[in-house]
Amino acid sequence: MLRVAVVGSGPSGCYTAQSLVQREPEAYVDVLDRLPCPYGLVRYGVAPDHEKIKSLQDSLRAVLEHERVRFLGGVPIGSRGVPPARLRELYHAVVYCVGAATDRHLGIPGEDLPGSWSATEFVSWYSAHPDAADDGFVRDARQAVVVGVGNVAVDVTRMLARGPAELSRTDIPQAALTALAASRVADIHMVGRRGPSQARFTTKELRELGTLPDTDVVVDPAELALDPDCADPAALPGTQRRNVEVLRGWAGAPASGAARRIRLRFFLRPVELLADGGRVGAVRFERTAPDGRGGVTGTGRYEEIEAQLVLRSVGYRGVPLEGLPFDADRGTVPHLAGRVLRAGVVAPGEYVAGWIKRGPTGVIGTNRPCAKETVLSLLEDAPVLVRGDVPGDPLAALRAEGIEPVEWAGWRAIERAEAELGASLGRGVVKLPDWDSLLAAARAAAP
C-alpha cells in the first residue's frame, strides 16, 4: 500500500490524485485543503456567470469520490497547521499542489491607496472566498480602471458591467449581488501597456464583452493603428488574429447610448495612482510605442484617466510555504520533473504539481500533463518510499493532534446549506461567504 498526501484540491491536486489511483492500484490518496470546500480556483476563481467552466466541478467531484481518495478540508499546512516535516512522517509521499495564492504588483506610487485592489481580491469577494475582504469595492465609484488585458481582466470587467438580472441567476453571494446591483460604475477602462495583437485574453472571453446588455464596447481606431500587426493580422497566431478581428469590428462603432461603456485601451503604461480626498481618484499613464522587438518603450507623453476603483490584473504569484524550499525569483518550488529539490538535491518523498511547480501559466487542462509528469516521478520512486514506516491511518494521527478535518460528508452538507440559502432568497444555489457559516454547515453532517 502506498499512502500519498496531495495538498490542494484544485484541478492540479485532483488530477494528481486521479493519475495516482489510475496508475497504481495500491495507492491511497488523502487530498488535503486549507479550506473546507474543494475545487480551488474552479470554485473561487471562475466567474459566477461562467457556468460551463464551473461545471468542471462535476469531473473533479468524481475524483474526490473515488473509493481510494479521501477529501480532508480545513487542514492548514505550514506554520499554522501541519508542518511539511510532519506530513512526511504520516505519508509515504506528499505532493504539493498549492497554486499561486497572491498577485503581482505594479510597483508604482499610489498603488496602496484606498480604492486600489488586486483583481484577485475582487474575484475572491464575488466568489465568496471565506478570506475575502468586504470593503465596498464599488461603493461611490463611477469610473473604474482595470490594469491588464488577460482573461482575469476581462472577467472582472464583465462582472462590473453585468446587471443584477443576469447575476441573480448565478451562485454569487448575496452581499456581492446587492452591492453590484447598487453600483453606479458606468465607465470601465481595461488598459494594456502593449498592443492589441499582444493581449493575452482569449477570443471567446473577449467576444462576451460585446454581448452584455445595455453596454457599449469602445475601441479607439488610433490605438489599433499603432500596432503594426493590426494592419495585416494574417501572420499572427490564431487567437491573436481573431482578437484583432473582433477589436477592429468594434473600433469606431457609433455609441448606442447604453448605460455602461467598456473602453479597451492599449499602449498605456501605468506610472502613478493619483489621490483624491485620501483615496484613488485617477490613474496616470505613459503612452508607449512598439520597440520593434516585441516590447514597448515609453514616449514621454502622459494621460490621466479618472477612476474611483482600480483593479490590478497583472498576474498571479506563488507564495512560500514554511518548511518547503522556494525560488523567490520564479515564485515556485525548485524541482526536477516534479521532485522537490532542497539545496539542489532531490528530497525523497516530496513533490510538486500545478502552478507552484511551473508558475501561473496555461489553462485548467494544462494541469493534466503537469500532474502526470509528477506522478510518474513519484511512482518511479515508490519501491523505496513504501519502505518508510508510516501509521496505518494518517487521519487518526491528525485527529489525535487536535485536527478535525471536514470530510466529504461535511462538504456535501455545505452544498445542501447553499442550496437551502438560495431557495430562501428565491434564487438557485447561493454560496456561503464566511468561515463561520461554512464550518457550521459542515458540522451539521457530524454523526
Side-chain angles (χ1 to χ4, degrees), residues 206-244:
L206 177 64
R207 284 186 176 132
E208 278 189 274
L209 297 179
T211 68
L212 296 173
D214 206 15
T215 303
D216 283 333
V217 180
V218 180
V219 177
D220 186 346
E223 291 183 346
L224 292 185
L226 290 173
D227 190 332
D229 288 323
C230 288
D232 181 11
L236 290 171
T239 297
Q240 283 74 23
R241 183 182 69 253
R242 290 188 291 271
N243 287 346
V244 169

mmCIF file of all heavy atoms in Angstrom, residues 206-244:
data_model
loop_
_atom_site.group_PDB
_atom_site.id
_atom_site.type_symbol
_atom_site.label_atom_id
_atom_site.label_comp_id
_atom_site.label_asym_id
_atom_site.label_seq_id
_atom_site.Cartn_x
_atom_site.Cartn_y
_atom_site.Cartn_z
ATOM 1 N N LEU A 206 -13.187 37.627 -24.901
ATOM 2 C CA LEU A 206 -13.288 38.979 -25.446
ATOM 3 C C LEU A 206 -14.667 39.226 -26.043
ATOM 4 O O LEU A 206 -15.299 40.258 -25.784
ATOM 5 C CB LEU A 206 -12.198 39.193 -26.502
ATOM 6 C CG LEU A 206 -12.198 40.540 -27.219
ATOM 7 C CD1 LEU A 206 -11.916 41.670 -26.241
ATOM 8 C CD2 LEU A 206 -11.167 40.537 -28.352
ATOM 9 N N ARG A 207 -15.150 38.285 -26.852
ATOM 10 C CA ARG A 207 -16.439 38.476 -27.517
ATOM 11 C C ARG A 207 -17.583 38.639 -26.522
ATOM 12 O O ARG A 207 -18.575 39.319 -26.813
ATOM 13 C CB ARG A 207 -16.721 37.284 -28.429
ATOM 14 C CG ARG A 207 -15.927 37.297 -29.732
ATOM 15 C CD ARG A 207 -16.364 36.164 -30.634
ATOM 16 N NE ARG A 207 -15.685 36.223 -31.922
ATOM 17 C CZ ARG A 207 -15.106 35.177 -32.500
ATOM 18 N NH1 ARG A 207 -15.130 33.982 -31.907
ATOM 19 N NH2 ARG A 207 -14.526 35.308 -33.672
ATOM 20 N N GLU A 208 -17.457 38.003 -25.362
ATOM 21 C CA GLU A 208 -18.524 38.110 -24.361
ATOM 22 C C GLU A 208 -18.813 39.548 -23.979
ATOM 23 O O GLU A 208 -19.947 39.890 -23.640
ATOM 24 C CB GLU A 208 -18.155 37.314 -23.105
ATOM 25 C CG GLU A 208 -18.445 35.837 -23.177
ATOM 26 C CD GLU A 208 -18.251 35.180 -21.831
ATOM 27 O OE1 GLU A 208 -17.110 34.800 -21.533
ATOM 28 O OE2 GLU A 208 -19.233 35.049 -21.070
ATOM 29 N N LEU A 209 -17.780 40.391 -24.002
ATOM 30 C CA LEU A 209 -17.992 41.793 -23.636
ATOM 31 C C LEU A 209 -18.998 42.450 -24.570
ATOM 32 O O LEU A 209 -19.755 43.336 -24.154
ATOM 33 C CB LEU A 209 -16.665 42.551 -23.671
ATOM 34 C CG LEU A 209 -15.581 42.089 -22.687
ATOM 35 C CD1 LEU A 209 -14.323 42.923 -22.855
ATOM 36 C CD2 LEU A 209 -16.081 42.161 -21.236
ATOM 37 N N GLY A 210 -19.024 42.029 -25.817
ATOM 38 C CA GLY A 210 -19.946 42.622 -26.779
ATOM 39 C C GLY A 210 -21.367 42.111 -26.666
ATOM 40 O O GLY A 210 -22.256 42.612 -27.378
ATOM 41 N N THR A 211 -21.600 41.134 -25.796
ATOM 42 C CA THR A 211 -22.956 40.579 -25.633
ATOM 43 C C THR A 211 -23.645 41.089 -24.373
ATOM 44 O O THR A 211 -24.789 40.709 -24.114
ATOM 45 C CB THR A 211 -22.900 39.035 -25.572
ATOM 46 O OG1 THR A 211 -22.241 38.626 -24.362
ATOM 47 C CG2 THR A 211 -22.155 38.474 -26.775
ATOM 48 N N LEU A 212 -22.969 41.929 -23.591
ATOM 49 C CA LEU A 212 -23.550 42.397 -22.329
ATOM 50 C C LEU A 212 -24.703 43.365 -22.597
ATOM 51 O O LEU A 212 -24.562 44.304 -23.384
ATOM 52 C CB LEU A 212 -22.479 43.086 -21.482
ATOM 53 C CG LEU A 212 -21.322 42.190 -21.019
ATOM 54 C CD1 LEU A 212 -20.248 43.025 -20.344
ATOM 55 C CD2 LEU A 212 -21.821 41.101 -20.073
ATOM 56 N N PRO A 213 -25.846 43.170 -21.937
ATOM 57 C CA PRO A 213 -26.981 44.073 -22.152
ATOM 58 C C PRO A 213 -26.656 45.505 -21.737
ATOM 59 O O PRO A 213 -25.954 45.734 -20.741
ATOM 60 C CB PRO A 213 -28.075 43.475 -21.257
ATOM 61 C CG PRO A 213 -27.667 42.056 -21.028
ATOM 62 C CD PRO A 213 -26.175 42.062 -21.024
ATOM 63 N N ASP A 214 -27.164 46.459 -22.501
ATOM 64 C CA ASP A 214 -27.088 47.885 -22.173
ATOM 65 C C ASP A 214 -25.644 48.347 -21.946
ATOM 66 O O ASP A 214 -25.369 49.171 -21.082
ATOM 67 C CB ASP A 214 -27.950 48.187 -20.927
ATOM 68 C CG ASP A 214 -28.434 49.630 -20.903
ATOM 69 O OD1 ASP A 214 -28.360 50.306 -21.952
ATOM 70 O OD2 ASP A 214 -28.880 50.082 -19.833
ATOM 71 N N THR A 215 -24.721 47.775 -22.747
ATOM 72 C CA THR A 215 -23.302 48.092 -22.586
ATOM 73 C C THR A 215 -22.666 48.283 -23.956
ATOM 74 O O THR A 215 -22.789 47.408 -24.826
ATOM 75 C CB THR A 215 -22.565 46.969 -21.827
ATOM 76 O OG1 THR A 215 -23.176 46.760 -20.559
ATOM 77 C CG2 THR A 215 -21.100 47.318 -21.631
ATOM 78 N N ASP A 216 -21.998 49.415 -24.172
ATOM 79 C CA ASP A 216 -21.221 49.658 -25.383
ATOM 80 C C ASP A 216 -19.774 49.253 -25.152
ATOM 81 O O ASP A 216 -19.227 49.464 -24.059
ATOM 82 C CB ASP A 216 -21.251 51.141 -25.761
ATOM 83 C CG ASP A 216 -22.555 51.554 -26.424
ATOM 84 O OD1 ASP A 216 -23.210 50.687 -27.045
ATOM 85 O OD2 ASP A 216 -22.923 52.747 -26.314
ATOM 86 N N VAL A 217 -19.147 48.679 -26.164
ATOM 87 C CA VAL A 217 -17.706 48.408 -26.132
ATOM 88 C C VAL A 217 -17.033 49.388 -27.088
ATOM 89 O O VAL A 217 -17.401 49.468 -28.270
ATOM 90 C CB VAL A 217 -17.388 46.962 -26.530
ATOM 91 C CG1 VAL A 217 -15.883 46.725 -26.489
ATOM 92 C CG2 VAL A 217 -18.104 45.985 -25.604
ATOM 93 N N VAL A 218 -16.069 50.128 -26.570
ATOM 94 C CA VAL A 218 -15.436 51.211 -27.324
ATOM 95 C C VAL A 218 -13.962 50.885 -27.538
ATOM 96 O O VAL A 218 -13.243 50.574 -26.579
ATOM 97 C CB VAL A 218 -15.575 52.555 -26.574
ATOM 98 C CG1 VAL A 218 -14.921 53.683 -27.372
ATOM 99 C CG2 VAL A 218 -17.045 52.862 -26.284
ATOM 100 N N VAL A 219 -13.517 50.936 -28.778
ATOM 101 C CA VAL A 219 -12.110 50.737 -29.127
ATOM 102 C C VAL A 219 -11.670 51.913 -29.983
ATOM 103 O O VAL A 219 -12.356 52.278 -30.947
ATOM 104 C CB VAL A 219 -11.901 49.416 -29.891
ATOM 105 C CG1 VAL A 219 -10.448 49.263 -30.318
ATOM 106 C CG2 VAL A 219 -12.327 48.221 -29.043
ATOM 107 N N ASP A 220 -10.536 52.498 -29.640
ATOM 108 C CA ASP A 220 -10.008 53.650 -30.369
ATOM 109 C C ASP A 220 -9.254 53.161 -31.609
ATOM 110 O O ASP A 220 -8.229 52.479 -31.496
ATOM 111 C CB ASP A 220 -9.073 54.437 -29.459
ATOM 112 C CG ASP A 220 -8.589 55.736 -30.082
ATOM 113 O OD1 ASP A 220 -8.759 55.906 -31.314
ATOM 114 O OD2 ASP A 220 -8.024 56.566 -29.346
ATOM 115 N N PRO A 221 -9.716 53.498 -32.816
ATOM 116 C CA PRO A 221 -9.012 53.056 -34.035
ATOM 117 C C PRO A 221 -7.561 53.516 -34.071
ATOM 118 O O PRO A 221 -6.699 52.824 -34.631
ATOM 119 C CB PRO A 221 -9.824 53.691 -35.168
ATOM 120 C CG PRO A 221 -11.169 53.988 -34.579
ATOM 121 C CD PRO A 221 -10.921 54.289 -33.132
ATOM 122 N N ALA A 222 -7.278 54.665 -33.459
ATOM 123 C CA ALA A 222 -5.903 55.176 -33.477
ATOM 124 C C ALA A 222 -4.967 54.258 -32.701
ATOM 125 O O ALA A 222 -3.793 54.112 -33.063
ATOM 126 C CB ALA A 222 -5.871 56.588 -32.894
ATOM 127 N N GLU A 223 -5.468 53.631 -31.621
ATOM 128 C CA GLU A 223 -4.621 52.723 -30.849
ATOM 129 C C GLU A 223 -4.410 51.408 -31.582
ATOM 130 O O GLU A 223 -3.344 50.793 -31.452
ATOM 131 C CB GLU A 223 -5.223 52.512 -29.459
ATOM 132 C CG GLU A 223 -5.140 53.766 -28.611
ATOM 133 C CD GLU A 223 -5.660 53.599 -27.194
ATOM 134 O OE1 GLU A 223 -6.340 52.584 -26.905
ATOM 135 O OE2 GLU A 223 -5.391 54.485 -26.367
ATOM 136 N N LEU A 224 -5.397 50.978 -32.350
ATOM 137 C CA LEU A 224 -5.181 49.805 -33.199
ATOM 138 C C LEU A 224 -4.120 50.104 -34.252
ATOM 139 O O LEU A 224 -3.266 49.269 -34.560
ATOM 140 C CB LEU A 224 -6.481 49.384 -33.885
ATOM 141 C CG LEU A 224 -7.614 48.821 -33.017
ATOM 142 C CD1 LEU A 224 -8.758 48.350 -33.901
ATOM 143 C CD2 LEU A 224 -7.136 47.675 -32.148
ATOM 144 N N ALA A 225 -4.167 51.313 -34.787
ATOM 145 C CA ALA A 225 -3.241 51.682 -35.856
ATOM 146 C C ALA A 225 -1.795 51.734 -35.363
ATOM 147 O O ALA A 225 -0.858 51.581 -36.157
ATOM 148 C CB ALA A 225 -3.640 53.036 -36.446
ATOM 149 N N LEU A 226 -1.601 51.941 -34.056
ATOM 150 C CA LEU A 226 -0.245 51.971 -33.509
ATOM 151 C C LEU A 226 0.419 50.602 -33.557
ATOM 152 O O LEU A 226 1.647 50.494 -33.503
ATOM 153 C CB LEU A 226 -0.270 52.464 -32.054
ATOM 154 C CG LEU A 226 -0.596 53.936 -31.826
ATOM 155 C CD1 LEU A 226 -0.752 54.209 -30.337
ATOM 156 C CD2 LEU A 226 0.497 54.824 -32.417
ATOM 157 N N ASP A 227 -0.386 49.548 -33.632
ATOM 158 C CA ASP A 227 0.126 48.182 -33.614
ATOM 159 C C ASP A 227 0.340 47.713 -35.055
ATOM 160 O O ASP A 227 -0.623 47.531 -35.797
ATOM 161 C CB ASP A 227 -0.886 47.270 -32.912
ATOM 162 C CG ASP A 227 -0.334 45.876 -32.640
ATOM 163 O OD1 ASP A 227 0.546 45.431 -33.393
ATOM 164 O OD2 ASP A 227 -0.809 45.233 -31.678
ATOM 165 N N PRO A 228 1.576 47.530 -35.485
ATOM 166 C CA PRO A 228 1.805 47.162 -36.887
ATOM 167 C C PRO A 228 1.154 45.832 -37.273
ATOM 168 O O PRO A 228 0.809 45.618 -38.435
ATOM 169 C CB PRO A 228 3.339 47.073 -36.991
ATOM 170 C CG PRO A 228 3.833 46.958 -35.579
ATOM 171 C CD PRO A 228 2.839 47.677 -34.729
ATOM 172 N N ASP A 229 0.956 44.933 -36.306
ATOM 173 C CA ASP A 229 0.350 43.644 -36.618
ATOM 174 C C ASP A 229 -1.153 43.737 -36.849
ATOM 175 O O ASP A 229 -1.773 42.777 -37.307
ATOM 176 C CB ASP A 229 0.619 42.645 -35.491
ATOM 177 C CG ASP A 229 2.072 42.190 -35.460
ATOM 178 O OD1 ASP A 229 2.648 42.028 -36.556
ATOM 179 O OD2 ASP A 229 2.624 42.016 -34.361
ATOM 180 N N CYS A 230 -1.736 44.880 -36.499
ATOM 181 C CA CYS A 230 -3.177 45.034 -36.710
ATOM 182 C C CYS A 230 -3.508 45.397 -38.156
ATOM 183 O O CYS A 230 -4.648 45.198 -38.599
ATOM 184 C CB CYS A 230 -3.746 46.099 -35.773
ATOM 185 S SG CYS A 230 -3.835 45.559 -34.051
ATOM 186 N N ALA A 231 -2.549 45.925 -38.864
ATOM 187 C CA ALA A 231 -2.809 46.300 -40.252
ATOM 188 C C ALA A 231 -3.073 45.066 -41.107
ATOM 189 O O ALA A 231 -3.970 45.054 -41.954
ATOM 190 C CB ALA A 231 -1.624 47.095 -40.803
ATOM 191 N N ASP A 232 -2.283 44.030 -40.873
ATOM 192 C CA ASP A 232 -2.477 42.764 -41.585
ATOM 193 C C ASP A 232 -2.219 41.629 -40.593
ATOM 194 O O ASP A 232 -1.083 41.148 -40.449
ATOM 195 C CB ASP A 232 -1.524 42.655 -42.774
ATOM 196 C CG ASP A 232 -1.733 41.353 -43.544
ATOM 197 O OD1 ASP A 232 -2.740 40.656 -43.286
ATOM 198 O OD2 ASP A 232 -0.888 41.032 -44.404
ATOM 199 N N PRO A 233 -3.269 41.189 -39.886
ATOM 200 C CA PRO A 233 -3.077 40.196 -38.819
ATOM 201 C C PRO A 233 -2.927 38.765 -39.319
ATOM 202 O O PRO A 233 -2.850 37.838 -38.514
ATOM 203 C CB PRO A 233 -4.351 40.344 -37.992
ATOM 204 C CG PRO A 233 -5.383 40.805 -38.964
ATOM 205 C CD PRO A 233 -4.657 41.659 -39.971
ATOM 206 N N ALA A 234 -2.855 38.557 -40.644
ATOM 207 C CA ALA A 234 -2.859 37.198 -41.191
ATOM 208 C C ALA A 234 -1.719 36.339 -40.650
ATOM 209 O O ALA A 234 -1.870 35.117 -40.507
ATOM 210 C CB ALA A 234 -2.799 37.249 -42.721
ATOM 211 N N ALA A 235 -0.589 36.958 -40.336
ATOM 212 C CA ALA A 235 0.572 36.186 -39.880
ATOM 213 C C ALA A 235 0.545 35.895 -38.383
ATOM 214 O O ALA A 235 1.401 35.162 -37.880
ATOM 215 C CB ALA A 235 1.856 36.938 -40.234
ATOM 216 N N LEU A 236 -0.426 36.440 -37.666
ATOM 217 C CA LEU A 236 -0.493 36.235 -36.222
ATOM 218 C C LEU A 236 -0.988 34.824 -35.893
ATOM 219 O O LEU A 236 -1.714 34.212 -36.690
ATOM 220 C CB LEU A 236 -1.452 37.247 -35.586
ATOM 221 C CG LEU A 236 -1.010 38.707 -35.552
ATOM 222 C CD1 LEU A 236 -2.169 39.593 -35.084
ATOM 223 C CD2 LEU A 236 0.198 38.877 -34.624
ATOM 224 N N PRO A 237 -0.636 34.292 -34.708
ATOM 225 C CA PRO A 237 -1.244 33.042 -34.247
ATOM 226 C C PRO A 237 -2.764 33.186 -34.197
ATOM 227 O O PRO A 237 -3.296 34.306 -34.077
ATOM 228 C CB PRO A 237 -0.647 32.856 -32.851
ATOM 229 C CG PRO A 237 0.611 33.654 -32.852
ATOM 230 C CD PRO A 237 0.352 34.819 -33.760
ATOM 231 N N GLY A 238 -3.471 32.065 -34.245
ATOM 232 C CA GLY A 238 -4.916 32.084 -34.392
ATOM 233 C C GLY A 238 -5.648 32.940 -33.388
ATOM 234 O O GLY A 238 -6.512 33.754 -33.760
ATOM 235 N N THR A 239 -5.342 32.780 -32.093
ATOM 236 C CA THR A 239 -6.069 33.536 -31.068
ATOM 237 C C THR A 239 -5.851 35.026 -31.230
ATOM 238 O O THR A 239 -6.800 35.817 -31.204
ATOM 239 C CB THR A 239 -5.641 33.088 -29.661
ATOM 240 O OG1 THR A 239 -5.981 31.711 -29.480
ATOM 241 C CG2 THR A 239 -6.340 33.924 -28.590
ATOM 242 N N GLN A 240 -4.595 35.443 -31.435
ATOM 243 C CA GLN A 240 -4.299 36.872 -31.584
ATOM 244 C C GLN A 240 -4.953 37.431 -32.847
ATOM 245 O O GLN A 240 -5.457 38.555 -32.856
ATOM 246 C CB GLN A 240 -2.779 37.098 -31.618
ATOM 247 C CG GLN A 240 -2.095 37.014 -30.265
ATOM 248 C CD GLN A 240 -1.970 35.580 -29.761
ATOM 249 O OE1 GLN A 240 -1.987 34.642 -30.559
ATOM 250 N NE2 GLN A 240 -1.871 35.417 -28.452
ATOM 251 N N ARG A 241 -4.945 36.637 -33.923
ATOM 252 C CA ARG A 241 -5.566 37.107 -35.162
ATOM 253 C C ARG A 241 -7.068 37.329 -34.952
ATOM 254 O O ARG A 241 -7.622 38.356 -35.361
ATOM 255 C CB ARG A 241 -5.338 36.086 -36.281
ATOM 256 C CG ARG A 241 -5.893 36.545 -37.638
ATOM 257 C CD ARG A 241 -5.696 35.507 -38.715
ATOM 258 N NE ARG A 241 -6.529 34.326 -38.513
ATOM 259 C CZ ARG A 241 -6.093 33.141 -38.112
ATOM 260 N NH1 ARG A 241 -4.802 32.951 -37.852
ATOM 261 N NH2 ARG A 241 -6.922 32.119 -37.970
ATOM 262 N N ARG A 242 -7.726 36.384 -34.304
ATOM 263 C CA ARG A 242 -9.165 36.533 -34.066
ATOM 264 C C ARG A 242 -9.450 37.695 -33.116
ATOM 265 O O ARG A 242 -10.438 38.417 -33.285
ATOM 266 C CB ARG A 242 -9.734 35.224 -33.520
ATOM 267 C CG ARG A 242 -9.758 34.102 -34.562
ATOM 268 C CD ARG A 242 -10.499 32.885 -34.039
ATOM 269 N NE ARG A 242 -9.764 32.215 -32.973
ATOM 270 C CZ ARG A 242 -8.863 31.262 -33.178
ATOM 271 N NH1 ARG A 242 -8.564 30.862 -34.416
ATOM 272 N NH2 ARG A 242 -8.256 30.683 -32.157
ATOM 273 N N ASN A 243 -8.585 37.883 -32.113
ATOM 274 C CA ASN A 243 -8.762 39.027 -31.206
ATOM 275 C C ASN A 243 -8.731 40.339 -31.975
ATOM 276 O O ASN A 243 -9.581 41.221 -31.763
ATOM 277 C CB ASN A 243 -7.656 39.044 -30.142
ATOM 278 C CG ASN A 243 -7.824 37.975 -29.090
ATOM 279 O OD1 ASN A 243 -8.891 37.366 -28.970
ATOM 280 N ND2 ASN A 243 -6.777 37.731 -28.319
ATOM 281 N N VAL A 244 -7.744 40.468 -32.855
ATOM 282 C CA VAL A 244 -7.619 41.705 -33.635
ATOM 283 C C VAL A 244 -8.852 41.910 -34.503
ATOM 284 O O VAL A 244 -9.371 43.039 -34.628
ATOM 285 C CB VAL A 244 -6.329 41.681 -34.480
ATOM 286 C CG1 VAL A 244 -6.331 42.819 -35.497
ATOM 287 C CG2 VAL A 244 -5.098 41.772 -33.580
#
